[in-house]
Amino acid sequence: MDVPTDPSTSQRMSRQRTRDTAAEWSLRRLLHARGLRYRVDAVLPGLPRRRADIVFPRQKVAVFVDGCFWHGCPEHKTAPKANAAWWAAKLARNVERDRETDAHLVGMGWTVLRIWEHEDPERATDLVEAAARSGHPGA
């Protein structure tokens, strides 16, 4: 049986950003400096309740900047000790949802890029730029 979440934990988790994280800002600044224009926090086609962090709609490129904790980074994921079973199910479902989203978009002809929050911003920008420019030179 799950233990109710501690009120201080609940308060702290409610303040976690869902968009505009430091990793997203770094990537967006570098992309913009390279002349790329994109949409931020955009609804995905066929998935009205799911959003991508950065989208190039004409090029059909969706970029997700995934947090290590929330998306199960193989290098940095951690498992909460309090309410462990609930958290394990929640985090596993996040990863499952990510795979469903990827499969849906790829099935529609999109390129999906998943960038971990700890990745080097310059390297991540190179990957995104290559994908965005591969379809349309005027990206």
Side-chain angles (χ1 to χ4, degrees):
M1 180 169 182
D2 289 336
V3 179
T5 303
D6 175 81
S8 65
T9 301
S10 182
Q11 172 102 15
R12 186 176 64 251
M13 297 310 273
S14 72
R15 290 191 309 263
Q16 293 296 311
R17 291 186 161 277
T18 58
R19 60 172 281 187
D20 297 335
T21 64
E24 288 176 41
W25 270 109
S26 295
L27 180 59
R28 291 185 344 217
R29 276 191 205 101
L30 291 168
L31 290 169
H32 195 272
R34 293 185 187 188
L36 293 164
R37 302 301 177 256
Y38 45 82
R39 295 191 185 277
V40 175
D41 195 39
V43 174
L44 299 171
L47 298 170
R49 294 188 52 155
R50 297 186 193 174
R51 299 166 112 39
D53 298 313
I54 299 170
V55 175
F56 298 88
R58 284 184 293 146
Q59 297 87 346
K60 292 186 169 184
V61 175
V63 181
F64 299 87
V65 181
D66 291 340
C68 293
F69 174 76
W70 295 105
H71 297 273
C73 169
E75 291 179 46
H76 302 110
K77 70 179 172 186
T78 58
K81 291 180 183 20
N83 224 357
W86 183 87
W87 277 107
K90 165 124 180 93
L91 298 174
R93 179 63 186 129
N94 287 351
V95 173
E96 183 182 327
R97 189 178 309 110
D98 291 344
R99 299 298 79 82
E100 290 169 2
T101 301
D102 295 351
H104 174 81
L105 290 172
V106 168
M108 293 180 65
W110 283 65
T111 298
V112 177
L113 299 173
R114 293 220 171 246
I115 311 275
W116 290 111
E117 68 180 338
H118 65 265
E119 288 188 48
D120 174 55
E122 288 287 344
R123 184 182 149 321
T125 302
D126 292 343
L127 291 171
V128 175
E129 182 179 22
R133 294 199 189 277
S134 67
H136 298 273

